Amino acid sequence: MSKNCISSQTRPQLAQTLAALGQPAFRAGQIYRWLHQKQVTEFSAMTDQPKALLKTLEEQYYIAAPTIRRRQQSKDGTVKYLFALEDGNCIETVVMRYKYGNTVCLSTQVGCRMGCRFCASTQAGRVRNLEAGEIAAQLYTAQRDIGERISHIVLMGIGEPLDNFDNVMDFLTIISSEEGANIGMRNISLSTCGLVPMIDRLAEKKLQLTLSISLHAPNNAMRSSMMPVNDAYPVEQLIAACRRYQKTTGRRISFEYSMVRGVNDSDATARQLADLIRGMGAHVNLIPINPVDGSPYSATDAENVRRFQQALTRLGVNATVRRRLGSDISAACGQLRRDEAQQPPKEATP
Ligand code: SAH
């Protein structure tokens, strides 16, 4: 029998697990804190627990604890990890240093099936979803490695978070819990390529996180040429879902806009973008595309990115140019995993 991941269980799920093993209720809290507050990686570290219980848990469960396969540190302090999971699959995690604190960029899937034409993470498709505990353990391992608290999270690593909805929701519950890492929802951003029905499901949860939409283009012809997901959920439907999301949650949305030379960076496109989202109070993050091998795209130069930003601002849309961190270590997501002499992706074996 294959083992289940105990650190993927929310507090109530863990309580059930321990009750089924005939344990008193207080054990659930103790073990939960060992896993998510002290962030131990082995059952034997839970020193106040009965030996017999630890032995039983060990037989049936494992604690998600990725190992560092590669580590790159940029001059600006950015650290990028290639982590190996229990089943041998690899994912990437990045820590960025900002004035307001350390931010970790987490992966939510092994690979991705969204097919965005500019993205390295999707080139070999999706291998499997990450479990809630595997998403959290990226933060725990990075935090231990840098020896500093990580206070902010962006779900912008490998994978599409809303394509792994239930596990990502469990992850958010665990990571924000007071008995765990206790990271406030307002310090968490979730980025999606635009799975409309899932944006509606997320809205119902009324979380205080920041929803980022990878828009990248203001019309269907342009967006579909960059992102196949647009064929399923075209721009009008996506923007309508964003408006519903804002109404339901009271939270403003961010739009990601990766700039590709000659594709989505003209003055006319800036006007079209402004017309599309004006009045939403939304924020646009501009970033020159990070060119990846096998993709036809090259980056808009800095001067034109600036011009595009100024055009948006003049047209009443709040836009900033995202500072590029870690550009000397190919921090664009998916490149490290892909460059790693790819062992053939393994089938899902928890
Ligand atoms: N699947 C989610 C989150 C992961 S990608 C999403 O699509 O939002 C995180 C962000 O990086 C997205 O905005 C994505 O479009 C962007 N991105 C991916 N590859 C890129 C590249 N080569 N250059 C610039 N941005 C890229």
Side-chain angles (χ1 to χ4, degrees):
M1 189 188 78
S2 64
K3 294 184 184 186
N4 288 319
C5 179
I6 198 162
S7 46
S8 293
Q9 299 190 349
T10 60
R11 180 79 162 71
Q13 288 165 354
L14 188 62
Q16 255 179 15
T17 296
L18 289 160
L21 292 171
Q23 293 296 317
F26 64 86
R27 293 267 178 245
Q30 290 179 332
I31 292 180
Y32 189 86
R33 287 188 295 273
W34 278 116
L35 292 170
H36 301 292
Q37 204 167 61
K38 305 193 186 84
Q39 301 164 6
V40 302
T41 57
E42 285 170 26
F43 288 105
S44 59
M46 301 181 184
T47 46
D48 57 358
Q49 298 301 304
K51 289 260 157 24
L53 171 60
L54 293 180
K55 186 161 173 285
T56 307
L57 290 176
E58 181 96 59
E59 282 161 7
Q60 298 179 16
Y61 295 94
Y62 71 96
I63 301 171
T67 52
I68 300 175
R69 174 76 60 89
R70 281 178 68 190
R71 180 190 195 280
Q72 295 181 328
Q73 181 144 3
S74 156
K75 290 198 276 297
D76 62 28
T78 304
V79 186
K80 181 162 190 171
Y81 301 96
L82 184 73
F83 283 142
L85 302 168
E86 271 71 15
D87 66 0
N89 278 302
C90 288
I91 51 168
E92 287 175 34
T93 305
V94 182
V95 176
M96 293 157 290
R97 319 296 181 94
Y98 292 104
K99 281 196 279 299
Y100 54 78
N102 295 317
T103 298
V104 70
C105 177
L106 301 177
S107 294
T108 54
Q109 298 179 313
V110 180
C112 183
R113 58 174 175 171
M114 296 297 127
C116 298
R117 305 242 149 76
F118 45 81
C119 180
S121 303
T122 195
Q123 286 177 345
R126 183 187 66 171
V127 179
R128 69 171 175 86
N129 283 331
L130 292 183
E131 304 227 19
E134 291 178 312
I135 305 174
Q138 296 168 59
L139 185 151
Y140 303 163
T141 307
Q143 187 165 252
R144 208 174 312 118
D145 180 65
I146 64 170
E148 290 171 29
R149 178 173 147 81
I150 290 172
S151 54
H152 291 67
I153 297 172
V154 293
L155 295 177
M156 290 196 182
I158 296 172
E160 167 50 48
L162 298 187
D163 188 38
N164 183 15
F165 193 87
D166 293 337
N167 291 349
V168 167
M169 292 307 117
D170 283 352
F171 158 75
L172 291 171
T173 303
I174 290 169
I175 210 76
S176 63
S177 64
E178 278 177 27
E179 288 181 295
N182 196 12
I183 297 183
M185 283 287 179
R186 284 173 182 267
N187 289 359
I188 302 177
S189 292
L190 185 155
S191 180
T192 179
C193 64
L195 299 175
V196 165
M198 295 296 142
I199 293 173
D200 286 325
R201 261 183 86 186
L202 183 67
E204 284 163 26
K205 306 262 176 198
K206 294 194 168 58
L207 302 176
Q208 291 301 296
L209 52 73
T210 299
L211 179 64
S212 262
I213 304 286
S214 299
L215 186 60
H216 304 323
N219 65 61
N220 286 323
M222 197 185 285
R223 193 163 191 268
S224 284
S225 77
M226 300 169 75
M227 305 172 73
V229 68
N230 193 71
D231 295 337
Y233 306 111
V235 170
E236 320 75 68
Q237 285 183 30
L238 177 57
I239 297 299
C242 291
R243 292 185 191 276
R244 288 195 295 276
Y245 185 89
Q246 294 202 152
K247 194 151 177 256
T248 308
T249 63
R251 302 281 297 162
R252 286 190 182 165
I253 286 185
S254 280
F255 290 105
E256 300 296 312
Y257 199 96
S258 299
M259 301 198 62
V260 186
R261 186 188 305 163
V263 173
N264 65 353
D265 60 354
S266 73
D267 290 347
T269 305
R271 281 195 293 278
Q272 212 177 27
L273 176 60
D275 288 342
L276 185 69
I277 63 174
R278 192 182 294 115
M280 292 177 79
H283 184 94
V284 179
N285 275 313
L286 302 170
I287 184 169
I289 204 110
N290 202 324
V292 300
D293 293 347
S295 148
Y297 297 134
S298 57
T300 301
D301 57 48
E303 195 185 318
N304 282 325
V305 173
R306 182 68 53 199
R307 201 190 34 141
F308 196 87
Q309 182 219 358
Q310 285 162 353
L312 289 176
T313 309
R314 264 199 315 277
L315 295 162
V317 170
N318 186 351
T320 47
V321 180
R322 210 179 327 140
R323 204 154 55 94
R324 272 186 75 185
L325 294 177
S327 49
D328 54 328
I329 54 167
S330 80
C333 204
Q335 296 191 51
L336 205 57
R337 170 170 175 261
R338 197 197 49 191
D339 296 348
E340 169 84 359
Q342 279 286 337
Q343 343 85 306
K346 294 186 181 152
E347 276 310 306
T349 44

